[in-house]
Amino acid sequence: MSVLDTPVDAKIPDIGLESPPLSLSEMAWRRFRRHKLAIASSFLLLFLILFTFGGALIYSEADANFNDTTKRLQAPTAEHPFGTDTIGRDILARTIYGGQISILIGLTAVIVQVVVGVIIGAISGYYGGWLDSLLMRITEAILTIPTLFLLLVMAKFFSGKVPDLNFFGRTFSGSVVVIILIIGLTSWPRLARIVRAEFLALKENDFILAARATGTSNTQIMFKHILPNTVAPIVVTATLSVAGAIIFEAYISFLGMGVQPPTATWGNMITGATTYIEYAPWLWFFPGVLILLTVLSINFVGDGLRDALDPRSRPE
Amino acid sequence: MTRYIIRRILQSIPLLFIISLILFLLLNNIGDPLTMMGGRNPTRPDDRARLARQLGLDKPVTTQYLYWLIGNDWTMIDVDGDGIPDIPGERLGVLRGDFGTSIVTRGKPVSEIIWDRIPNTLLLMVPAQIFILLFGVIVGVYSALRQYSWVDNAVTTLSFVGFSMPIFLIALLSIYFFSVLFQRWGLPNLPANGMFDPRVGKTAGQVAKHMILPLFSIAFIDIARYSRYVRSAMLEVMSQDYIRTAKAKGLKRYYIIFIHAMRNALLPIVTLVGLDLPFLLAGAVVTERIFAWPGMGRLFLDHLQRADGPVVMGIVMILAVFVIFSQILTDIAYAALDPRIRY
């Protein structure tokens, strides 16, 4: 092999000066990687998702709802690693299926939140005027009512009004849909405000003027030209909102006004547990700790994402 | 400043109007409060119709809202349904300070029901806020001054655990540990529910003893949050030029920290406290349920579950007014404390 065969690049010692400019996603990844707890949390989150969705391969949904009243309130054993509940259902199987519902509620509620929040924030920020004032008064009104109170009132309002649904060969209690809806519909104001602020700043840019000059429609400008520039704060807020949604679902279900049994969620598994604090701590310990771990890891990932995508927006 | 305050108060009127409208529409459809009124037997149809007319529940929502807002003492009620008005209305409406009467507890005024419970909730919430503030500041300042030390790292991690913690988990864990296990080990243990031991009566000592666990649960979560805010505020202030000047002048370290840095770092905390105070009242729903504490949160749950619209409406409206009031107060306090702020 002659000297000429080797590429020129190889002769230049790599001291980091000549490396090509980093793309945005590479830069974000570098910043995210520095947040060690966020990386660890990503793995924890992956594990929790594997646990809840992979666990379905071992336990069927029927196992989760099967009750054997001769085996009530049994402490954890090899047969029932997390013990059994008040009517003899296996808690491990229920945490698996409950986790699926809790995580699904967290994710879908945030989808509702993002859709509503982005549309309202975009319209408000882009058009301004009386439409903006009206939408912002409604936003403020929802922010002024303490969230949990509003959620509980809405849960009561919608309860029993949504029929059970069938998806993927499984029956979802109508109460699941209700929870998704109400969490989504009460959590959008914060996001709407963020999106509005971004739109207010971005719409003054020259590229918007250019787009308008070429006759681009308002909808096109809003969602094709401005929205992509606001993705970073939206992603960060949405991630952190998943954690919030999971906690709120747990609170509502814990108070007995959320998802109704036999459908399990981590929240409604704890509902009756206050009576058994002393005799059956495993009733509330496992679902409680799973909620904590899930919310904790999502919060860390969200924090890492904020460092990575939106470093200036740290709350000081 | 006065003009600013007046403007804020005027702005809050349409806001409260929108809130009350949203809530009224929601609460109008939460269930049938008349079902429970027959006591043990189901309410008879003719009683039901009479009650509905008497309570104004047969009217359209708009009329009901109007009655709620300005009362119905200017109209007559047709109780027996024969088309001839019988008795004058007695409600004064919210605008004249009358929140109506509870449907569940048969005509007891809503304001009376709520006032009975507010002291209990405040008894829990005011000390909680003091603890949160005190420990939040101590922990936050300490870990800011030792940034990236193991204490700081531990505090940061723990504060994430704190605000990711569902309140029922910390409550159940603390009950299990301090009341169940301590009893099992023969140590002095703490009571886990109620406000006092009925055998002893409602003495100050009893109430204080029953407050410890709920206080701990509430404070644990918020100390975590506060310490993070304090830490980042303190870090920012400590990197300012005037702190370097103070150091260069050879001022004592504690003097720099307490007189120069902390006063500025704690300024944003005023906002945090002001905005949190009303929500602390709200956060008590779950805690009060677990510890069987007879406060506003439990009142809200009990009456919501029995579809008692007037009481629920009263509680949430009082909270909303409280939220708006403390927001305005926070802005005023901030302007008073920070001369750079002008309205």
Side-chain angles (χ1 to χ4, degrees):
Chain A
M1 199 160 82
S2 75
V3 181
L4 286 174
D5 286 341
T6 50
V8 183
D9 288 4
K11 289 184 206 154
I12 303 169
D14 182 22
I15 51 168
L17 289 175
E18 292 293 321
S19 54
L22 292 170
S23 73
L24 275 173
S25 57
E26 278 171 333
M27 250 151 66
W29 169 240
R30 284 200 169 188
R31 281 197 292 261
F32 186 78
R33 220 170 36 186
R34 274 209 303 264
H35 199 308
K36 291 200 186 63
L37 282 166
I39 293 288
S41 296
S42 309
F43 282 108
L44 179 59
L45 202 58
L46 203 66
F47 170 76
L48 286 163
I49 290 169
L50 276 177
F51 168 73
T52 52
F53 288 88
L57 300 174
I58 303 166
Y59 288 92
S60 70
E61 199 184 8
D63 288 335
N65 293 336
F66 171 76
N67 58 316
D68 181 355
T69 37
T70 59
K71 291 182 177 162
R72 286 160 47 207
L73 293 175
Q74 284 190 344
T77 53
E79 195 193 344
H80 299 292
F82 286 2
T84 59
D85 70 2
T86 46
I87 56 170
R89 290 176 294 205
D90 181 55
I91 292 186
L92 176 60
R94 284 184 79 69
T95 48
I96 289 171
Y97 281 88
Q100 290 180 7
I101 301 286
S102 290
I103 291 173
L104 275 180
I105 287 177
L107 292 174
T108 38
V110 167
I111 293 175
V112 176
Q113 175 201 356
V114 169
V115 170
V116 179
V118 165
I119 290 177
I120 291 189
I123 290 177
S124 211
Y126 186 73
Y127 289 109
W130 65 268
L131 198 59
D132 177 37
S133 321
L134 178 72
L135 290 174
M136 281 303 112
R137 287 300 87 70
I138 296 173
T139 310
E140 233 172 280
I142 296 177
L143 280 174
T144 306
I145 308 171
T147 316
L148 195 54
F149 283 68
L150 184 59
L151 279 171
L152 290 170
V153 169
M154 285 177 85
K156 183 83 180 162
F157 177 82
F158 283 111
S159 72
K161 288 182 187 158
V162 179
D164 291 358
L165 295 176
N166 279 300
F167 276 121
F168 314 116
R170 280 178 63 187
T171 309
F172 288 92
S173 153
S175 48
V176 175
V177 183
V178 170
I179 293 288
I180 293 170
L181 212 63
I182 63 173
I183 295 179
L185 289 181
T186 47
S187 59
W188 59 265
R190 219 168 284 278
L191 184 68
R193 281 190 165 181
I194 294 170
V195 174
R196 174 177 176 270
E198 295 278 329
F199 265 68
L200 277 178
L202 285 165
K203 76 173 178 186
E204 303 300 333
N205 280 319
D206 285 343
F207 70 90
I208 301 301
L209 194 66
R212 208 171 281 155
T214 53
T216 317
S217 72
N218 281 330
T219 335
Q220 286 258 336
I221 296 179
M222 276 158 70
F223 295 105
K224 285 242 168 81
H225 294 263
I226 305 184
L227 192 62
N229 289 299
T230 64
V231 164
I234 294 176
V235 167
V236 173
T237 316
T239 310
L240 294 172
S241 298
V242 176
I246 289 176
I247 285 236
F248 274 128
E249 183 278 318
Y251 283 171
I252 304 168
S253 295
F254 171 76
L255 294 171
M257 298 183 70
V259 177
Q260 299 302 320
T263 305
T265 73
W266 287 337
N268 76 12
M269 289 177 69
I270 305 180
T271 306
T274 34
T275 336
Y276 299 94
I277 298 173
E278 194 171 349
Y279 307 105
W282 56 90
L283 272 186
W284 48 267
F285 183 77
F286 294 108
V289 167
L290 282 167
I291 295 173
L292 174 63
L293 288 180
T294 312
V295 173
L296 183 64
S297 52
I298 294 173
N299 275 337
F300 271 130
V301 171
D303 199 58
L305 279 178
R306 175 157 48 207
D307 284 355
L309 300 173
D310 201 14
R312 278 173 310 163
S313 80
R314 287 213 139 275
E316 297 296 352
Chain B
M1 189 70 193
T2 324
R3 278 188 54 180
Y4 173 76
I5 297 170
I6 292 171
R7 204 177 75 221
R8 284 293 302 268
I9 291 172
L10 288 179
Q11 275 171 351
S12 69
I13 292 170
L15 187 60
L16 282 170
F17 184 73
I18 297 175
I19 294 172
S20 69
L21 209 58
I22 296 175
L23 283 171
F24 203 87
L25 291 175
L26 286 173
L27 288 172
N28 212 264
N29 282 301
I30 55 167
D32 183 9
L34 295 175
T35 330
M36 310 283 246
M37 292 188 83
R40 204 165 294 190
N41 309 314
T43 319
R44 285 196 301 273
D46 48 332
D47 283 346
R48 196 183 177 81
R50 186 174 50 77
L51 279 166
R53 279 193 296 271
Q54 200 172 354
L55 296 166
L57 298 175
D58 60 331
K59 298 269 191 301
V61 185
T62 41
T63 318
Q64 285 192 44
Y65 180 71
L66 205 66
Y67 283 0
W68 178 82
L69 199 65
I70 58 171
N72 63 355
D73 55 346
W74 42 276
T75 61
M76 298 289 281
I77 303 174
D78 172 21
V79 179
D80 46 15
D82 55 4
I84 308 158
D86 303 309
I87 51 165
E90 283 172 346
R91 288 165 59 184
L92 295 177
V94 170
L95 295 181
R96 282 181 282 171
D98 175 15
F99 280 95
T101 52
S102 163
I103 291 175
V104 171
T105 49
R106 302 292 164 86
K108 206 174 170 192
V110 169
S111 42
E112 198 180 300
I113 296 177
I114 297 176
W115 277 118
D116 277 354
R117 295 295 190 92
I118 284 186
N120 289 345
T121 293
L122 287 181
L123 188 65
L124 208 55
M125 288 305 141
V126 173
Q129 185 66 47
I130 294 171
F131 273 120
I132 292 165
L133 204 55
L134 199 68
F135 286 100
V137 169
I138 294 175
V139 173
V141 169
Y142 187 85
S143 72
L145 294 178
R146 284 168 180 68
Q147 195 187 7
Y148 301 134
S149 68
W150 71 269
V151 180
D152 180 39
N153 287 334
V155 165
T156 307
T157 314
L158 206 67
S159 68
F160 263 94
V161 175
F163 67 68
S164 304
M165 178 78 89
I167 190 146
F168 50 71
L169 182 62
I170 183 73
L172 290 167
L173 281 172
S174 62
I175 292 176
Y176 189 66
F177 194 71
F178 294 112
S179 123
V180 175
L181 287 182
F182 271 38
Q183 194 169 29
R184 214 170 276 171
W185 298 333
L187 293 165
N189 55 298
L190 289 165
N193 54 41
M195 262 183 98
F196 52 86
D197 186 340
R199 288 169 304 180
V200 186
K202 195 175 176 177
T203 59
Q206 273 294 320
V207 175
K209 209 172 152 188
H210 282 76
M211 269 169 62
I212 299 175
L213 286 183
L215 262 185
F216 171 77
S217 306
I218 298 166
F220 182 83
I221 289 171
D222 274 341
I223 288 173
R225 221 155 46 86
Y226 271 62
S227 66
R228 266 186 78 76
Y229 277 105
V230 174
R231 177 179 176 272
S232 65
M234 193 70 185
L235 279 177
E236 198 184 279
V237 170
M238 287 304 278
S239 65
Q240 298 281 316
D241 286 342
Y242 72 90
I243 296 292
R244 192 185 307 146
T245 313
K247 278 181 192 161
K249 275 190 350 191
L251 284 181
K252 294 224 161 44
R253 187 171 157 80
Y254 69 84
Y255 197 80
I256 296 174
I257 291 168
F258 290 104
I259 307 294
H260 291 255
M262 244 170 86
R263 282 182 65 158
N264 283 301
L266 294 189
L267 217 51
I269 307 304
V270 174
T271 326
L272 202 58
V273 174
L275 299 183
D276 266 6
L277 218 55
F279 290 96
L280 210 59
L281 222 63
V285 182
V286 180
T287 331
E288 284 177 2
R289 169 72 163 256
I290 294 177
F291 292 101
W293 189 268
M296 287 246 288
R298 253 184 75 198
L299 184 75
F300 173 81
L301 275 179
D302 290 348
H303 287 261
L304 181 65
Q305 264 150 0
R306 289 191 277 172
D308 191 354
V311 176
V312 175
M313 190 78 192
I315 294 175
V316 185
M317 283 315 288
I318 287 176
L319 284 177
V321 171
F322 193 41
V323 171
I324 293 174
F325 181 70
S326 58
Q327 276 169 357
I328 298 176
L329 216 61
T330 309
D331 284 348
I332 297 171
Y334 205 88
L337 290 172
D338 188 344
R340 286 168 301 183
I341 306 276
R342 289 268 174 276
Y343 293 116

